[in-house]
Amino acid sequence: MPVATAPQGSPVRPPRQQSAREPLRWPLVVITVLTALVVAVPAAALSGATAPLLLGDAGPLVRWGMVLLEVVHHLAAALTIGLLVVAAFLVREGRDTDRRGAAARVATASALLWCLASAGILVLGFGDLAGLPPSAPGYLQDMITNIWGLEVMRLRLVETLMLAALVPFAALARTRGALAWVAGLALFALVPLSYGGHSSGTDGHETAVTALLLHLGGITVWVGGLMAIGLLLPVLGTALPDTLRRYSTLALWSFVSVSLSGVLFALLMVDDLDDLVSPYWVVIWAKVGLLTVLGVMGAVQRRIIIARGTDRPWLFAALASGELAVMGTAIALGSVLSRTPPPVVESETDASSPAYALTGYPLPEPFEPARLLDTWQVNWLFLLVALVAVGAYLAGVVKLRRRGDAWPLWRLLLWVLGWAVFVYATSGAPGVYGRIMFSQHMIMHMVLMMGVPILLVPAQAITLAYRTLPARKDKTLGPREVLVAVVHSRWATFVVNPVVAGAIFFGSLIAFYWTGLFGWALTSHTGHVLMVVHFSLTGFAFVWSLVGQDPGPAKWSPPLRILVLLGTLAAHAFFGLALMQGTWLLEPEFFKTIEVPWVDDLLVDQQTAGGIAWGVGELPTVVLVLMVMVDWMRRDERESVRSDRQALRDDDAELVAYNAHLQRLAERDRSRR
């Protein structure tokens, strides 16, 4: 491409930096919105999403309003999240630009629209459930009375309240850190929706929630990020190539996330081959086709625009407009799908059993020691976390070795083994039987809190990340910058203080088992997930505070760490003894209601759990003490080597000074005589 040059002797002007005062480019956003609304109407009519119900029909306003509001809701959510993610993590600022400010202002408006759409769905949703039009007498009063008792309404209310808090936060956020926190809050606002899909009421409730969360997170970042870049195109200027390159990585992960969610949905929503030609699956097949098209278009975008550099924004806009039209169609079909009756999937589970009613899972086979090896029930959320963690670590090791740097393979082995044990604890026999047996629950608890961290901490994943993640030079937040900010934050310094980590380690046991949190974790998917996350992080922080070698807050001296370790695990042993000798039953209503036939005495099973808590703590204690002792010896060795090197550099000046000091003291004593 020819480059214009200034006449000889004339000053050369640098390229003009765009400022946020220039008008934003709305056509790409308009294309997405119009496509979604135009496609949603015929798709809803053909799929039966807006067909009148034979009994309890709420009227056309509710039927059509729910579909169209869902479209607006999803588009507003995507634009909000896309703008916040782009502003916080992808785009850099120039000397005379306010790109983050422009993104935050539009994100505030779209967040308000997202909140209003959610509130509208909340109002119409009650009519859909009750079979009443909004004009019915006493409609609002009945809705307010029943809003918390109906799960679908409760979830939508929680989302609306979260979005009401999101709007002012987005309005105030301007720094990259603040925008990152607001982006996290916006993504977290998708969680309530993941509990309300069609398949969330099936036997695989946890799988359905995980699948819908993967889908919502992937599609909002993917669509919203592209809309945000198109909207901010006039103010990006020279920042466009880097922004597109970073967005391309996010888009690839989003594509994988959405594809994986489709696989999980297929596992839940197919009973026989006839289901695959039902109206519900026709919409799904259409979405699969659109996903394929988007994958091809993304590959073209990477090859034509990103790989060659972007000096022609109009070419990016042309390709992005086609992508966004397809994305708008996909969002419309997704909104229609949420209102289309799914095929009836037959279940062999006895839904009337107390165990299924309280936990969402049928009773497994009667427990015996052999079941510890052959009983599995995959928890896809935790399995995916483990796979991503292992894959990222392995990629880091490969990157180091390709550039000629060494990394001990035993650390890789520890990392893989640690996550394998984590998967076994959450998807194997401890996770399956731990929902109904206190003793097996305690095995899962001890493995997560004490077994897994002893394997993961010595693997030094933070050190590996520091050595492999590229640092950004343009003051944007990348993975390395986020990791550094977390590791060196005041919060991390406080939490990994050995005394604080030990207090949380022991205090969590008391707070969890002697309050209603234990029962909540046994009967709720959310409670179960939070329990696993909390115990895993608590154990990791405690072990890291004692033997961690990664960059981070300064370590205490080894003798003090050993004292904290012994004190904390003595308190842990006291907890185990309290369970062993206790004559009262924790969560008696739950365990008595589920009536596990092979648990003859619930109190004996609880006392067995206490013995497990006490006995399992002994081996990790010995291992941790040995690890601290090894660290102590290595510190002494490093200090000795440092002193020897210093002595060689300055001809042992420290020893000479010390001897001179002793000589002066001796001479002073002689003079006093």
Side-chain angles (χ1 to χ4, degrees):
M1 180 176 179
V3 179
T5 58
Q8 188 173 4
S10 301
V12 178
R13 297 181 180 180
R16 184 174 64 91
Q17 287 279 349
Q18 278 80 0
S19 81
R21 291 186 294 272
E22 297 191 32
L24 302 182
R25 182 169 293 176
W26 288 93
L28 295 181
V29 176
V30 172
I31 287 173
T32 312
V33 174
L34 290 180
T35 303
L37 292 175
V38 169
V39 171
V41 174
L46 294 173
S47 68
T50 56
L53 300 178
L54 296 178
L55 295 174
D57 183 58
L61 176 61
V62 171
R63 296 196 307 270
W64 283 98
M66 290 286 286
V67 172
L68 297 178
L69 278 177
E70 284 283 356
V71 174
V72 174
H73 173 279
H74 294 337
L75 289 173
L79 183 58
T80 302
I81 292 173
L83 284 165
L84 293 172
V85 169
V86 168
F89 301 103
L90 305 187
V91 68
R92 70 172 187 266
E93 286 287 10
R95 287 179 299 177
D96 302 318
T97 64
D98 185 26
R99 294 161 182 151
R100 296 194 188 106
R105 286 188 289 273
V106 180
T108 303
S110 60
L112 178 60
L113 180 60
W114 183 8
C115 181
L116 293 175
S118 179
I121 295 172
L122 179 66
V123 174
L124 295 183
F126 176 73
D128 187 50
L129 292 173
L132 296 173
S135 59
Y139 184 89
L140 288 179
Q141 182 63 40
D142 290 342
M143 184 190 74
I144 294 172
T145 302
N146 296 282
I147 196 170
W148 196 255
L150 299 170
E151 183 182 15
V152 175
M153 299 288 291
R154 183 168 64 249
L155 292 171
R156 186 66 70 172
L157 175 64
V158 170
E159 182 206 17
T160 304
L161 294 176
M162 293 175 66
L163 296 176
L166 175 67
V167 174
F169 287 145
L172 296 173
R174 287 299 180 270
T175 65
R176 61 180 187 175
L179 288 167
W181 279 107
V182 178
L185 176 59
L187 285 168
F188 189 67
L190 299 174
V191 173
L193 288 183
S194 65
Y195 285 82
H198 278 143
S199 53
S200 61
T202 64
D203 289 347
H205 173 76
E206 290 188 355
T207 301
V209 171
T210 301
L212 191 52
L213 190 59
L214 286 173
H215 181 82
L216 291 172
I219 203 70
T220 51
V221 172
W222 192 5
V223 178
L226 192 58
M227 281 198 293
I229 295 174
L231 182 67
L232 297 173
L233 198 57
V235 302
L236 288 179
T238 57
L240 180 60
D242 286 339
T243 304
L244 281 179
R245 178 174 49 81
R246 293 163 182 166
Y247 166 75
S248 177
T249 302
L250 275 182
L252 179 60
W253 280 102
S254 298
F255 178 82
V256 173
S257 178
V258 173
S259 302
L260 182 59
S261 71
V263 174
L264 295 181
F265 277 129
L267 295 176
L268 293 171
M269 300 304 295
V270 176
D271 188 66
D272 53 47
L273 294 179
D274 292 337
D275 293 336
L276 298 178
V277 294
S278 64
Y280 187 88
W281 267 94
V282 169
V283 178
I284 290 181
W285 287 125
K287 292 190 66 178
V288 170
L290 293 175
L291 182 65
T292 305
V293 171
L294 285 173
V296 174
M297 297 180 77
V300 172
Q301 184 84 270
R302 290 174 68 93
R303 173 169 293 186
I304 295 180
I305 300 293
I306 298 172
R308 300 180 182 178
T310 311
D311 57 356
R312 292 171 292 178
W314 61 267
L315 180 57
F316 159 74
L319 291 175
S321 62
E323 285 187 77
L324 286 171
V326 178
M327 290 176 173
T329 303
I331 286 180
L333 294 181
S335 302
V336 169
L337 189 67
S338 67
R339 300 286 303 164
T340 304
V344 178
V345 178
E346 296 183 2
S347 174
E348 298 179 357
T349 302
D350 181 11
S352 63
S353 68
Y356 183 83
L358 287 177
T359 67
Y361 288 91
L363 284 176
E365 295 293 325
F367 178 76
E368 55 186 45
R371 298 280 83 82
L372 291 173
L373 299 177
D374 63 6
T375 300
W376 290 88
Q377 194 171 71
V378 177
N379 186 307
W380 285 100
L381 175 62
F382 298 132
L383 176 61
L384 291 174
V385 169
L387 291 175
V388 170
V390 171
Y393 193 99
L394 184 59
V397 173
V398 171
K399 184 175 182 179
L400 276 183
R401 289 185 169 269
R402 282 181 175 174
R403 72 186 188 199
D405 294 338
W407 187 260
L409 289 180
W410 62 266
R411 289 181 184 167
L412 173 60
L413 179 61
L414 285 179
W415 186 257
V416 174
L417 184 59
W419 284 109
V421 173
F422 175 84
V423 170
Y424 171 73
T426 53
S427 297
V432 175
Y433 287 98
R435 297 178 180 275
I436 54 174
M437 295 177 64
F438 203 155
S439 56
Q440 295 301 308
H441 163 85
M442 190 57 67
I443 291 177
M444 178 184 70
H445 179 169
M446 292 297 103
V447 169
L448 292 175
M449 208 170 188
M450 304 187 72
V452 173
I454 289 179
L455 295 169
L456 295 183
V457 169
Q460 297 188 23
I462 297 175
T463 301
L464 179 64
Y466 271 36
R467 294 180 61 181
T468 55
L469 290 175
R472 293 188 179 180
K473 306 299 184 181
D474 56 2
K475 298 182 180 180
T476 56
L477 284 177
R480 179 188 175 87
E481 288 71 25
V482 172
L483 180 63
V484 170
V486 171
V487 169
H488 296 282
S489 65
R490 294 179 181 178
W491 175 85
T493 302
F494 174 76
V495 170
V496 298
N497 179 296
V499 172
V500 175
I504 296 174
F505 185 90
F506 173 66
S508 297
L509 302 176
I510 306 302
F512 180 75
Y513 287 103
W514 273 273
T515 66
L517 294 176
F518 183 30
W520 183 48
L522 290 172
T523 57
S524 164
H525 172 56
T526 303
H528 179 73
V529 170
L530 292 179
M531 174 196 71
V532 172
V533 172
H534 174 77
F535 284 146
S536 300
L537 293 179
T538 299
F540 187 90
F542 180 61
V543 174
W544 195 94
S545 70
L546 298 173
V547 298
Q549 299 296 319
D550 291 304
K555 292 289 187 300
W556 284 21
S557 64
L560 291 178
R561 283 184 275 157
I562 290 177
L563 287 176
V564 171
L565 169 62
L566 296 178
T568 302
L569 293 178
H572 186 271
F574 172 78
F575 161 75
L577 285 173
L579 286 181
M580 288 178 62
Q581 299 175 358
T583 57
W584 68 96
L585 191 64
L586 299 181
E587 295 300 327
E589 293 184 3
F590 172 81
F591 287 107
K592 290 180 179 179
T593 301
I594 61 175
E595 298 178 336
V596 180
W598 59 84
V599 180
D600 299 326
D601 192 323
L602 294 174
L603 187 58
V604 170
D605 188 60
Q606 178 175 294
Q607 292 170 345
T608 302
I612 292 171
W614 184 26
V616 170
E618 298 299 324
L619 180 59
T621 302
V622 174
V623 173
L624 286 173
V625 169
L626 290 176
M627 292 172 72
V628 175
M629 295 295 293
V630 170
D631 181 48
W632 193 350
M633 290 186 292
R634 287 177 177 173
R635 282 191 170 202
D636 288 345
E637 183 180 349
R638 288 194 297 267
E639 182 64 24
S640 177
V641 171
R642 188 196 66 80
S643 299
D644 292 343
R645 289 176 177 174
Q646 182 66 26
L648 290 174
R649 285 195 297 267
D650 57 14
D651 294 328
D652 216 352
E654 184 177 356
L655 180 60
V656 171
Y658 180 69
N659 290 333
H661 175 68
L662 292 178
Q663 185 176 0
R664 287 193 299 270
L665 291 177
E667 291 175 354
R668 186 170 58 186
D669 289 341
R670 285 195 296 269
S671 65
R672 288 177 180 177
R673 294 174 186 170

